[in-house]
Amino acid sequence: MAVTPAGAEVSNAVATSWKKIWKKNLKPLADKRYYTKAQSDAKYQPKGSYEPAGSGYTKAETYSKAEADAKYAAAGSGYSKAESDGRYARSTSLVRGSYMILNVATAANQFDGTDISFGTTFASAPEVHIIPVGGVPPAGCSGSVTAPDASPGHLCVFASLSSNAGTVFSCKASTSSCFGTASDPWGATLFTTSNAAGSMQAFGTWAARPTAVVATAPGRVSPGSGSTGSDEPLGTGATR
């Protein structure tokens, strides 16, 4: 026998599955405006304090309006990014590197050199300054061989070692201009000559700063500001 919700007894043959009726017919009609306890516990925080003690300011720790007005700048008193970009020139980055010229000369006045690359194209070729070992940096250059620096529009070459080597010159490769202080907007070639037969060495560092940058140049990239690296010598050990 089976018992109906009203308490009547009926035979199993005619018994009704009230659980099935509730699940399929009545439960879908239940009021959807309310959550069950399990749903509420999962969706909302328990009632009470929602911040750890001490995580907010007390009334005594906050500023009054007059104090805040005196302490902070008024809205609109600073420049926006667009206003700053239109008002000030973009700063240019310092480019640094090192050079090394090595050769075993068989006689005096034999050439050897190395390239330096700025890693980008300057708006114009910088003015070149060659500072000998222990020399005083001229106008446009500052720092030292261990921390070379240059003003905008200048390339400063600081010699750290010169052994059996003459004066270091710079070349402008695009026009084959040498025996002076010339460069291209993207780099220069440094060279020297041997004083006599034997090992010839010329080491140093350099710094360059553009007045403006045009574009990234292809090829090797010299280290950025604050670092020191060496460019590969042109045919170390060769005679020119």
Side-chain angles (χ1 to χ4, degrees), residues 15-34:
T16 301
S17 176
W18 294 106
K19 288 185 178 180
K20 186 179 294 185
I21 292 174
W22 163 253
K23 185 175 182 180
K24 289 187 176 182
N25 301 102
L26 299 179
K27 188 175 181 180
L29 301 177
D31 196 335
K32 300 297 184 181
R33 294 176 300 170
Y34 306 103

Side-chain angles (χ1 to χ4, degrees), residues 13-185:
V14 296
T16 301
S17 176
W18 294 106
K19 288 185 178 180
K20 186 179 294 185
I21 292 174
W22 163 253
K23 185 175 182 180
K24 289 187 176 182
N25 301 102
L26 299 179
K27 188 175 181 180
L29 301 177
D31 196 335
K32 300 297 184 181
R33 294 176 300 170
Y34 306 103
Y35 292 117
T36 65
K37 182 178 184 301
Q39 290 172 325
S40 296
D41 290 345
K43 191 174 183 69
Y44 300 105
Q45 290 181 330
K47 184 178 179 180
S49 176
Y50 303 127
E51 290 186 358
S55 62
Y57 291 113
T58 65
K59 182 178 180 181
E61 292 173 322
T62 58
Y63 292 117
S64 66
K65 181 179 183 302
E67 290 172 328
D69 290 344
K71 189 174 184 68
Y72 300 107
S77 61
Y79 291 119
S80 66
K81 181 180 183 299
E83 290 172 329
S84 295
D85 290 345
R87 187 178 182 88
Y88 301 104
R90 187 180 297 273
S91 62
T92 54
S93 299
L94 176 69
V95 184
R96 283 174 171 164
S98 59
Y99 70 91
M100 178 176 64
I101 302 173
L102 290 172
N103 194 4
V104 178
T106 58
N109 298 319
Q110 291 185 344
F111 296 91
D112 204 358
T114 186
D115 290 332
I116 61 174
S117 171
F118 304 148
T120 190
T121 300
F122 291 4
S124 59
E127 181 179 352
V128 183
H129 308 275
I130 307 294
I131 300 102
V133 177
V136 177
C141 300
S142 58
S144 64
V145 69
T146 56
D149 203 346
S151 300
H154 294 266
L155 166 60
C156 303
V157 180
F158 291 78
S160 62
L161 172 67
S162 180
S163 175
N164 192 32
T167 302
V168 174
F169 295 95
S170 66
C171 293
K172 183 177 182 179
S174 62
T175 58
S176 301
S177 302
C178 291
F179 295 101
T181 52
S183 73
D184 285 303

